[in-house]
Amino acid sequence: MDKAHAILQHTASRGFPLEIAAYNSILQGYCSTGQISKAQVIMDEIKAAFVAPNERSYTPFIAAHIRFGDNEAAFESLREMISMGFPPSELVYEPLLHAYAKERKASSMLKVVEEVNKCPNLKVGISSWNLVVENLARKNMMFEARKTVKKMVQSGVRPTGMTYLHLARGYFVNHKVAELLSLWLEIRLASEDKAGVQGVKMEKEMLDFFLVTFVKGAYFQRAQDVVTYMDTNMIPVDKEAYKSLFLQLHAKRFTSKHKSRRRVDRRAEQLREMESFKAWLGLPHSKPLKKKR
Protein backbone atom coordinates (compact mmCIF):
# COMPACT_ATOMS: atom_id res chain seq x y z
CA MET A 1 0.00 0.00 0.00
CA ASP A 2 2.91 2.33 0.77
CA LYS A 3 4.43 1.64 -2.67
CA ALA A 4 1.11 2.43 -4.33
CA HIS A 5 0.96 5.65 -2.37
CA ALA A 6 4.50 6.57 -3.44
CA ILE A 7 3.61 5.97 -7.09
CA LEU A 8 0.50 8.12 -6.67
CA GLN A 9 2.53 10.96 -5.15
CA HIS A 10 5.13 10.73 -7.92
CA THR A 11 2.46 10.83 -10.60
CA ALA A 12 0.78 13.83 -8.99
CA SER A 13 4.12 15.68 -8.60
CA ARG A 14 4.68 15.44 -12.36
CA GLY A 15 1.41 17.19 -13.04
CA PHE A 16 -0.58 14.25 -14.30
CA PRO A 17 -4.28 14.51 -13.36
CA LEU A 18 -5.51 11.79 -11.04
CA GLU A 19 -9.06 10.64 -10.52
CA ILE A 20 -10.63 10.12 -7.12
CA ALA A 21 -10.80 6.35 -7.71
CA ALA A 22 -7.00 6.13 -7.52
CA TYR A 23 -6.96 7.83 -4.13
CA ASN A 24 -9.92 5.85 -2.85
CA SER A 25 -8.32 2.45 -3.48
CA ILE A 26 -5.29 3.41 -1.36
CA LEU A 27 -7.47 5.10 1.25
CA GLN A 28 -9.57 1.95 1.63
CA GLY A 29 -6.44 -0.16 1.99
CA TYR A 30 -5.09 1.95 4.83
CA CYS A 31 -8.50 2.03 6.53
CA SER A 32 -8.93 -1.74 6.35
CA THR A 33 -5.56 -2.29 8.04
CA GLY A 34 -6.14 0.32 10.74
CA GLN A 35 -3.51 2.77 9.50
CA ILE A 36 -5.68 5.77 10.26
CA SER A 37 -2.90 8.35 10.23
CA LYS A 38 -1.89 7.30 6.72
CA ALA A 39 -5.52 7.33 5.64
CA GLN A 40 -5.74 10.92 6.94
CA VAL A 41 -2.71 11.82 4.79
CA ILE A 42 -4.56 10.47 1.75
CA MET A 43 -7.64 12.55 2.60
CA ASP A 44 -5.45 15.65 2.93
CA GLU A 45 -3.79 14.90 -0.42
CA ILE A 46 -7.19 14.50 -2.07
CA LYS A 47 -8.20 17.98 -0.92
CA ALA A 48 -4.82 19.49 -1.80
CA ALA A 49 -5.09 18.06 -5.33
CA PHE A 50 -8.48 19.76 -5.71
CA VAL A 51 -10.08 16.38 -6.22
CA ALA A 52 -13.30 16.29 -4.20
CA PRO A 53 -13.73 13.27 -1.90
CA ASN A 54 -16.87 11.28 -2.55
CA GLU A 55 -18.98 8.82 -0.56
CA ARG A 56 -16.49 6.04 -1.31
CA SER A 57 -13.82 8.14 0.37
CA TYR A 58 -15.79 8.92 3.52
CA THR A 59 -17.46 5.56 4.09
CA PRO A 60 -14.33 3.50 4.89
CA PHE A 61 -12.74 6.49 6.63
CA ILE A 62 -15.68 6.84 9.05
CA ALA A 63 -15.89 3.07 9.58
CA ALA A 64 -12.18 2.89 10.42
CA HIS A 65 -12.43 5.65 13.02
CA ILE A 66 -15.33 3.83 14.68
CA ARG A 67 -13.61 0.45 14.57
CA PHE A 68 -10.51 1.82 16.26
CA GLY A 69 -12.34 3.88 18.88
CA ASP A 70 -12.20 7.47 17.68
CA ASN A 71 -15.90 8.25 17.53
CA GLU A 72 -15.46 12.01 17.61
CA ALA A 73 -13.28 11.89 14.49
CA ALA A 74 -15.88 9.67 12.87
CA PHE A 75 -18.59 12.21 13.67
CA GLU A 76 -16.56 15.09 12.25
CA SER A 77 -15.99 13.10 9.06
CA LEU A 78 -19.72 12.37 8.91
CA ARG A 79 -20.51 16.07 9.20
CA GLU A 80 -18.00 16.87 6.47
CA MET A 81 -19.49 14.16 4.24
CA ILE A 82 -22.95 15.67 4.66
CA SER A 83 -21.67 19.21 4.03
CA MET A 84 -20.12 17.97 0.77
CA GLY A 85 -23.56 16.85 -0.37
CA PHE A 86 -23.21 13.11 0.17
CA PRO A 87 -26.13 11.76 2.25
CA PRO A 88 -24.89 8.83 4.35
CA SER A 89 -26.68 5.52 4.36
CA GLU A 90 -27.67 3.68 7.54
CA LEU A 91 -24.60 1.49 7.02
CA VAL A 92 -22.49 4.60 7.62
CA TYR A 93 -24.17 6.35 10.56
CA GLU A 94 -25.82 3.47 12.49
CA PRO A 95 -22.45 1.98 13.57
CA LEU A 96 -21.60 5.39 15.03
CA LEU A 97 -24.88 5.42 16.95
CA HIS A 98 -24.12 1.98 18.38
CA ALA A 99 -20.58 3.08 19.26
CA TYR A 100 -21.89 6.08 21.17
CA ALA A 101 -24.51 3.84 22.82
CA LYS A 102 -21.72 1.64 24.20
CA GLU A 103 -20.11 4.76 25.65
CA ARG A 104 -23.51 5.82 27.05
CA LYS A 105 -23.27 9.13 25.20
CA ALA A 106 -26.94 9.71 24.49
CA SER A 107 -26.39 13.41 23.68
CA SER A 108 -23.83 12.50 21.02
CA MET A 109 -26.26 10.00 19.52
CA LEU A 110 -28.86 12.75 19.28
CA LYS A 111 -26.35 15.00 17.48
CA VAL A 112 -25.70 12.28 14.90
CA VAL A 113 -29.40 11.84 14.14
CA GLU A 114 -29.97 15.61 13.95
CA GLU A 115 -27.03 15.98 11.57
CA VAL A 116 -28.19 13.18 9.28
CA ASN A 117 -31.74 14.50 9.41
CA LYS A 118 -30.53 17.71 7.73
CA CYS A 119 -29.96 15.83 4.48
CA PRO A 120 -32.71 16.58 1.96
CA ASN A 121 -34.69 13.59 0.68
CA LEU A 122 -33.22 11.35 3.37
CA LYS A 123 -35.18 9.81 6.23
CA VAL A 124 -33.43 8.54 9.29
CA GLY A 125 -34.58 4.95 9.79
CA ILE A 126 -36.92 3.99 12.61
CA SER A 127 -34.32 1.68 14.15
CA SER A 128 -31.93 4.64 14.49
CA TRP A 129 -34.58 6.90 16.01
CA ASN A 130 -35.57 4.18 18.48
CA LEU A 131 -31.96 3.59 19.47
CA VAL A 132 -31.58 7.27 20.33
CA VAL A 133 -34.89 7.39 22.25
CA GLU A 134 -33.91 4.27 24.20
CA ASN A 135 -30.57 5.70 25.29
CA LEU A 136 -31.97 9.13 26.14
CA ALA A 137 -34.56 7.43 28.35
CA ARG A 138 -31.88 5.34 30.04
CA LYS A 139 -29.97 8.52 30.88
CA ASN A 140 -33.12 10.06 32.42
CA MET A 141 -33.20 12.62 29.60
CA MET A 142 -36.95 12.24 29.18
CA PHE A 143 -37.53 15.77 27.89
CA GLU A 144 -34.99 15.15 25.13
CA ALA A 145 -36.45 11.71 24.45
CA ARG A 146 -39.93 13.19 24.02
CA LYS A 147 -38.54 15.96 21.83
CA THR A 148 -36.77 13.36 19.68
CA VAL A 149 -40.04 11.50 19.12
CA LYS A 150 -41.62 14.77 17.94
CA LYS A 151 -38.74 15.34 15.52
CA MET A 152 -39.17 11.79 14.26
CA VAL A 153 -42.84 12.42 13.54
CA GLN A 154 -42.06 15.75 11.87
CA SER A 155 -39.59 14.00 9.57
CA GLY A 156 -42.31 11.60 8.44
CA VAL A 157 -41.36 8.56 10.52
CA ARG A 158 -44.12 7.08 12.68
CA PRO A 159 -43.36 5.88 16.21
CA THR A 160 -43.65 2.16 16.79
CA GLY A 161 -44.61 0.15 19.84
CA MET A 162 -40.91 -0.10 20.63
CA THR A 163 -40.61 3.70 20.60
CA TYR A 164 -43.30 3.96 23.24
CA LEU A 165 -41.85 1.06 25.22
CA HIS A 166 -38.53 2.90 25.53
CA LEU A 167 -40.38 5.98 26.83
CA ALA A 168 -42.42 3.87 29.24
CA ARG A 169 -39.34 2.20 30.69
CA GLY A 170 -37.70 5.60 31.13
CA TYR A 171 -40.68 6.94 33.08
CA PHE A 172 -40.93 3.75 35.14
CA VAL A 173 -37.27 3.70 36.16
CA ASN A 174 -37.46 7.34 37.18
CA HIS A 175 -40.72 6.84 39.14
CA LYS A 176 -42.70 9.25 36.95
CA VAL A 177 -46.08 7.63 37.47
CA ALA A 178 -48.26 10.46 36.13
CA GLU A 179 -46.28 10.59 32.90
CA LEU A 180 -46.48 6.80 32.55
CA LEU A 181 -50.27 6.80 32.96
CA SER A 182 -50.57 9.64 30.47
CA LEU A 183 -48.33 7.80 28.02
CA TRP A 184 -50.62 4.77 28.09
CA LEU A 185 -53.60 6.93 27.10
CA GLU A 186 -51.49 8.44 24.31
CA ILE A 187 -50.57 4.99 23.04
CA ARG A 188 -54.18 3.82 23.11
CA LEU A 189 -55.11 6.82 20.98
CA ALA A 190 -52.22 6.19 18.58
CA SER A 191 -53.26 2.54 18.21
CA GLU A 192 -56.63 3.46 16.72
CA ASP A 193 -57.09 3.36 12.96
CA LYS A 194 -57.86 6.80 11.53
CA ALA A 195 -58.94 7.80 8.02
CA GLY A 196 -57.76 4.55 6.54
CA VAL A 197 -54.36 4.75 8.26
CA GLN A 198 -53.53 1.84 10.52
CA GLY A 199 -52.71 2.78 14.08
CA VAL A 200 -49.56 1.91 15.99
CA LYS A 201 -49.30 -1.82 16.55
CA MET A 202 -48.92 -2.67 20.22
CA GLU A 203 -46.68 -5.68 20.65
CA LYS A 204 -47.02 -8.22 23.46
CA GLU A 205 -43.75 -7.09 25.09
CA MET A 206 -45.04 -3.56 25.53
CA LEU A 207 -48.48 -4.67 26.71
CA ASP A 208 -46.99 -7.05 29.28
CA PHE A 209 -44.77 -4.23 30.56
CA PHE A 210 -47.73 -1.93 31.11
CA LEU A 211 -49.87 -4.69 32.62
CA VAL A 212 -47.19 -5.66 35.15
CA THR A 213 -46.59 -2.00 35.98
CA PHE A 214 -50.27 -1.23 36.48
CA VAL A 215 -50.90 -4.33 38.61
CA LYS A 216 -47.91 -3.55 40.81
CA GLY A 217 -49.04 0.06 41.22
CA ALA A 218 -52.68 -0.91 41.86
CA TYR A 219 -53.90 0.99 38.79
CA PHE A 220 -56.58 -1.60 38.16
CA GLN A 221 -58.65 0.39 35.68
CA ARG A 222 -55.60 0.83 33.45
CA ALA A 223 -54.72 -2.84 33.93
CA GLN A 224 -58.25 -3.77 32.83
CA ASP A 225 -57.83 -1.54 29.78
CA VAL A 226 -54.66 -3.41 28.79
CA VAL A 227 -56.39 -6.76 29.31
CA THR A 228 -59.36 -5.69 27.19
CA TYR A 229 -57.04 -4.65 24.36
CA MET A 230 -55.15 -7.94 24.53
CA ASP A 231 -58.34 -9.99 24.56
CA THR A 232 -59.86 -8.00 21.69
CA ASN A 233 -56.73 -8.40 19.57
CA MET A 234 -56.26 -12.07 20.56
CA ILE A 235 -52.88 -11.42 22.18
CA PRO A 236 -52.10 -14.19 24.67
CA VAL A 237 -51.78 -13.22 28.31
CA ASP A 238 -50.57 -15.42 31.16
CA LYS A 239 -53.52 -14.99 33.53
CA GLU A 240 -52.05 -17.31 36.15
CA ALA A 241 -48.88 -15.21 36.37
CA TYR A 242 -50.92 -12.06 36.98
CA LYS A 243 -53.13 -13.83 39.49
CA SER A 244 -50.02 -14.82 41.42
CA LEU A 245 -48.68 -11.26 41.21
CA PHE A 246 -51.99 -9.82 42.42
CA LEU A 247 -52.24 -12.19 45.39
CA GLN A 248 -48.65 -11.50 46.33
CA LEU A 249 -49.13 -7.72 46.37
CA HIS A 250 -52.78 -6.99 46.96
CA ALA A 251 -54.42 -9.91 48.77
CA LYS A 252 -54.97 -7.81 51.89
CA ARG A 253 -55.76 -4.52 50.21
CA PHE A 254 -58.72 -2.74 51.85
CA THR A 255 -59.11 -5.43 54.51
CA SER A 256 -58.09 -3.28 57.45
CA LYS A 257 -60.91 -2.63 59.96
CA HIS A 258 -59.25 0.48 61.35
CA LYS A 259 -59.55 2.78 58.35
CA SER A 260 -61.45 6.01 58.75
CA ARG A 261 -64.70 6.57 56.91
CA ARG A 262 -62.98 9.29 54.90
CA ARG A 263 -60.28 6.86 53.77
CA VAL A 264 -62.82 4.15 52.91
CA ASP A 265 -64.91 6.57 50.88
CA ARG A 266 -61.84 7.88 49.09
CA ARG A 267 -60.80 4.37 48.09
CA ALA A 268 -64.26 3.17 47.10
CA GLU A 269 -63.71 3.80 43.38
CA GLN A 270 -60.36 2.03 43.43
CA LEU A 271 -62.00 -0.89 45.21
CA ARG A 272 -64.59 -1.21 42.46
CA GLU A 273 -61.82 -1.17 39.85
CA MET A 274 -59.94 -3.83 41.78
CA GLU A 275 -63.02 -6.07 41.95
CA SER A 276 -63.46 -5.81 38.19
CA PHE A 277 -59.86 -6.87 37.66
CA LYS A 278 -60.24 -9.71 40.16
CA ALA A 279 -63.22 -10.95 38.19
CA TRP A 280 -61.01 -11.18 35.10
CA LEU A 281 -58.42 -13.10 37.14
CA GLY A 282 -61.13 -15.50 38.29
CA LEU A 283 -60.77 -14.55 41.96
CA PRO A 284 -63.76 -14.23 44.31
CA HIS A 285 -65.05 -10.83 45.29
CA SER A 286 -63.84 -9.33 48.53
CA LYS A 287 -66.25 -8.97 51.40
CA PRO A 288 -67.74 -5.47 51.47
CA LEU A 289 -66.26 -3.13 54.02
CA LYS A 290 -68.44 -2.03 56.92
CA LYS A 291 -68.47 1.72 57.24
CA LYS A 292 -67.95 3.14 60.68
CA ARG A 293 -70.85 5.00 62.17
Side-chain angles (χ1 to χ4, degrees):
M1 197 57 63
D2 289 338
K3 289 182 179 180
H5 184 199
I7 293 172
L8 188 70
Q9 288 178 317
H10 178 70
T11 304
S13 67
R14 298 189 64 181
F16 292 103
L18 293 172
E19 294 184 357
I20 188 63
Y23 287 103
N24 281 349
S25 61
I26 299 174
L27 177 65
Q28 290 171 6
Y30 281 139
C31 287
S32 64
T33 55
Q35 300 181 74
I36 307 298
S37 59
K38 292 183 178 180
Q40 182 63 62
V41 170
I42 297 296
M43 286 292 280
D44 294 340
E45 288 180 6
I46 291 173
K47 296 169 187 176
F50 300 103
V51 180
N54 59 19
E55 58 267 36
R56 292 191 177 182
S57 310
Y58 287 107
T59 299
F61 196 53
I62 293 170
H65 279 306
I66 297 170
R67 189 165 63 251
F68 293 97
D70 195 345
N71 296 328
E72 296 305 317
F75 179 55
E76 288 306 313
S77 297
L78 179 71
R79 292 181 65 182
E80 185 176 304
M81 178 182 185
I82 292 170
S83 69
M84 294 288 289
F86 301 117
S89 69
E90 289 186 353
L91 295 176
V92 176
Y93 66 81
E94 273 208 343
L96 182 55
L97 288 175
H98 285 285
Y100 276 136
K102 288 182 179 179
E103 293 183 341
R104 298 184 178 182
K105 291 184 176 180
S107 297
S108 296
M109 296 175 69
L110 184 56
K111 288 179 182 178
V112 171
V113 169
E114 289 175 341
E115 194 68 34
V116 175
N117 207 38
K118 293 177 183 176
C119 299
N121 304 319
L122 176 65
K123 281 187 179 181
V124 176
I126 184 62
S127 61
S128 298
W129 284 113
N130 281 348
L131 186 62
V132 175
V133 172
E134 177 185 12
N135 281 271
L136 288 171
R138 283 181 176 177
K139 293 282 286 186
N140 192 21
M141 300 171 67
M142 296 307 299
F143 176 80
E144 290 80 0
R146 273 292 199 175
K147 194 174 179 181
T148 300
V149 174
K150 287 183 180 179
K151 288 182 179 179
M152 173 173 41
V153 173
Q154 290 169 356
S155 71
V157 179
R158 295 179 64 201
T160 63
M162 191 57 66
T163 312
Y164 288 114
L165 180 57
H166 294 324
L167 290 175
R169 285 173 172 163
Y171 285 137
F172 176 78
V173 169
N174 293 287
H175 309 289
K176 296 183 177 180
V177 177
E179 289 85 349
L180 188 60
L181 294 171
S182 178
L183 180 64
W184 168 250
L185 297 178
E186 180 183 333
I187 296 170
R188 286 291 285 118
L189 186 62
S191 69
E192 298 175 358
D193 297 342
K194 296 178 182 177
V197 179
Q198 186 176 4
V200 173
K201 184 179 180 181
M202 293 201 279
E203 304 288 349
K204 178 174 169 54
E205 182 183 3
M206 182 183 71
L207 292 164
D208 280 333
F209 173 83
F210 273 104
L211 188 49
V212 168
T213 302
F214 291 153
V215 173
K216 285 183 176 180
Y219 300 107
F220 299 113
Q221 185 178 13
R222 296 287 176 261
Q224 190 65 54
D225 193 23
V226 177
V227 166
T228 300
Y229 181 90
M230 295 178 79
D231 286 345
T232 302
N233 292 275
M234 294 181 289
I235 299 172
V237 54
D238 189 348
K239 189 178 292 189
E240 290 302 314
Y242 289 107
K243 183 186 293 186
S244 176
L245 181 63
F246 178 88
L247 291 173
Q248 178 186 349
L249 297 175
H250 307 298
K252 296 182 179 180
R253 181 173 287 271
F254 304 126
T255 59
S256 174
K257 297 180 180 179
H258 302 289
K259 291 177 181 176
S260 67
R261 178 173 180 176
R262 179 183 176 186
R263 185 172 179 81
V264 171
D265 290 344
R266 187 158 55 90
R267 294 294 183 90
E269 182 62 29
Q270 189 179 16
L271 177 59
R272 285 191 290 272
E273 293 169 1
M274 184 184 75
E275 292 301 330
S276 176
F277 186 68
K278 284 176 67 177
W280 175 79
L281 291 173
L283 292 171
H285 284 288
S286 304
K287 292 181 180 180
L289 290 173
K290 293 183 180 179
K291 294 184 180 181
K292 288 186 176 183
R293 294 182 180 179

